[in-house]
Amino acid sequence: MRSPPIRKCFLYVFFALVSITNVMWIVSSYWLNRRLRHNAFNVTYRENVTSAMSVTIRITVLAEKPVCSAPDKLVGVMKMNMAEMIKTYHDLNASVSTQSTRSGGFAFEPDSCKPKLSVAIIIPFRDREDHLKTLLGHLHPILLRQNLRFQVFVVEQSGNGTFNKGRLMNTGFLYAKNEAKTHFDCYIFHDVDMLPEDDRNLYSCETTTNRVYHLSCSVSKFNYKPLCCGMTVGGVLSFSENQYIKVNGFPNDYWGWGGEDDDMNSRIKLQGLRVGRPALGLCRYCMIEHERDHFNPYTENVVNDRVAAANQKAKISGLNNLKTNTTGVTNRPLYTHLYVDVGTQ
Ligand code: UD2
Ligand code: MN
């Protein structure tokens, strides 16, 4: 049966009004959001657009966030079931937590306060996607609990040539320092397979002393034996910007597995810096078990010769003569991905 014209008319007017209201609501929310950001207010909003007719926008307007105090939500020792963690690793295309805000560019920070420290995490990478998923799902909530602003840079070596971890580290550092939109106080060089076991091990650095920090000083791979004085600085190592520049970064000429960490150890000493280590219980890390990678072979003689010559070399191989080519940069939900041609041996 056909509706009488008057009813049809009402329906048209009704739908027109609803559509106009929706459009106005979206436009005004967008405008408000931009204005408030501009005025240094903090706005968090969530959009859930299920259809043109149903728009839910929640806007929380807070005055300027307070500066973060010492972290008070740390859990301490984390019970980690590796078998479970590896099975339930995180989807790299999804955000980990709703408790964080993007701050200028692609760094994260806690919703509730303004961090005092800003940290770049630099991960050398190739062909370890499962490790990356496990690490990021685990690390992101810890860094938020530590009240940090942070951005993760995954620096992937392109092609199948021999791995060169030093060049990847240096490329990641220079990108984070010069190209990222956030200023970083600390640069933390982080193997992809290292999972912190205690969130009181702060991902920070010393900006005013001569100490760099070896955050991973007790590792499952070495049966949690304390790593100390004169030993390797592999795994997870933290610098201020000036400290990393002072040591001229990692050496560029270690191809394959081994040596670059020992060379770094000697660079640190050569520059009169010291290696600090957190209290033993705090610096426990679980290294995900793995085989040696196919394109990361160990060449004993070459490594030993180079480490012996490390002190002479520190000034001529590192940040100051790095020649790599970053062929792609992609900002993904959890990290910034650099795709790097490190050159050939
Ligand atoms: C030790 C050190 C590590 C490094 C290495 C010698 C500790 C806890 N770790 O680790 O810092 O100095 O010896 O080079 O002391 N990677 C890839 N794909 C590859 C090869 C390497 O992603 O094909 C990356 C990844 O981040 C990995 C890191 O390089 O964690 C170190 O390589 P590794 O895990 O094979 O070396 P490992 O466990 O002997
Ligand atoms: Mn490893």
Side-chain angles (χ1 to χ4, degrees):
M1 197 179 80
R2 292 181 56 190
S3 350
I6 188 83
R7 250 177 82 190
K8 233 180 185 176
C9 220
F10 265 126
L11 276 179
Y12 283 140
V13 170
F14 174 75
F15 281 122
L17 276 177
V18 169
S19 309
I20 290 168
T21 320
N22 267 319
V23 169
M24 283 173 63
W25 179 228
I26 293 169
V27 171
S28 64
S29 302
Y30 176 74
W31 175 83
L32 180 66
N33 188 28
R34 288 200 43 172
R35 279 301 298 269
L36 290 172
R37 262 182 208 286
H38 183 70
N39 291 335
F41 279 88
N42 188 345
V43 178
T44 57
Y45 68 100
R46 195 177 290 156
E47 285 179 60
N48 174 18
V49 184
T50 48
S51 78
M53 300 279 280
S54 87
V55 178
T56 322
I57 299 181
R58 189 185 64 121
I59 301 185
T60 317
V61 181
L62 304 167
E64 179 83 33
K65 282 199 279 191
V67 173
C68 298
S69 46
D72 56 3
K73 297 191 190 89
L74 300 179
V75 297
V77 181
M78 285 171 287
K79 294 208 171 44
M80 291 162 51
N81 178 338
M82 274 320 293
E84 278 309 306
M85 286 178 76
I86 290 173
K87 263 192 274 160
T88 57
Y89 48 57
H90 197 76
D91 174 3
L92 286 181
N93 290 318
S95 304
V96 163
S97 148
T98 54
Q99 304 302 308
S100 57
T101 312
R102 294 279 196 182
S103 80
F106 292 91
F108 287 95
E109 63 179 49
D111 266 349
S112 54
C113 61
K114 223 185 172 100
K116 286 185 192 150
L117 264 191
S118 179
V119 179
I121 313 277
I122 293 169
I123 303 177
F125 180 80
R126 186 170 64 188
D127 200 18
R128 298 268 195 110
E129 194 160 300
D130 288 357
H131 293 186
L132 186 62
K133 289 172 170 173
T134 306
L135 173 67
L136 295 185
H138 180 67
L139 196 58
H140 188 108
I142 295 175
L143 298 178
L144 281 178
R145 289 202 294 274
Q146 295 189 353
N147 284 345
L148 298 170
R149 177 177 301 127
F150 63 93
Q151 184 167 351
V152 175
F153 298 88
V154 174
V155 193
E156 178 174 1
Q157 178 168 331
S158 61
N160 281 337
T162 308
F163 200 66
N164 190 316
K165 190 175 155 191
R167 291 190 184 192
L168 295 175
M169 301 294 218
N170 291 340
T171 308
F173 171 80
L174 290 177
Y175 180 88
K177 175 176 163 303
N178 299 330
E179 315 285 338
K181 294 203 175 120
T182 306
H183 163 79
F184 298 105
D185 305 299
C186 307
Y187 293 82
I188 301 189
F189 298 86
H190 206 302
D191 281 6
V192 73
D193 51 18
M194 296 286 283
L195 307 172
E197 296 186 32
D198 192 315
D199 66 0
R200 289 168 298 177
N201 187 8
L202 293 181
Y203 273 58
S204 61
C205 64
E206 301 233 346
T207 50
T208 53
T209 73
N210 66 353
R211 240 181 322 216
V212 306
Y213 263 91
H214 187 212
L215 297 181
S216 56
C217 60
S218 167
V219 183
S220 60
K221 177 186 175 181
F222 308 117
N223 298 321
Y224 298 105
K225 205 173 63 169
L227 295 173
C228 175
C229 334
M231 296 176 83
T232 176
V233 287
V236 184
L237 186 61
S238 141
F239 293 84
S240 70
E241 181 182 310
N242 285 342
Q243 289 168 344
Y244 195 70
I245 291 173
K246 198 165 181 187
V247 299
N248 196 19
F250 276 91
N252 294 321
D253 53 352
Y254 286 78
W255 294 90
W257 183 93
E260 86 296 331
D261 48 349
D262 300 317
D263 192 296
M264 174 53 86
N265 203 15
S266 99
R267 285 169 184 241
I268 291 168
K269 297 210 176 85
L270 187 68
Q271 293 305 324
L273 302 177
R274 291 171 48 215
V275 179
R277 293 189 165 88
L280 199 55
L282 306 190
C283 63
R284 280 170 72 97
Y285 275 76
C286 178
M287 194 186 93
I288 303 172
E289 284 182 21
H290 62 81
E291 303 291 323
R292 178 77 45 79
D293 297 278
H294 191 56
F295 298 107
N296 195 23
Y298 173 52
T299 337
E300 185 170 16
N301 292 337
V302 177
V303 168
N304 285 342
D305 288 353
R306 291 204 173 143
V307 172
N311 288 359
Q312 289 83 47
K313 195 163 48 70
K315 284 203 170 56
I316 51 166
S317 178
L319 284 176
N320 64 349
N321 72 336
L322 179 72
K323 287 192 189 68
T324 54
N325 188 11
T326 302
T327 55
V329 179
T330 320
N331 284 299
R332 301 205 168 140
L334 292 176
Y335 61 95
T336 298
H337 177 253
L338 307 186
Y339 200 55
V340 180
D341 177 356
V342 297
T344 47
Q345 197 163 355

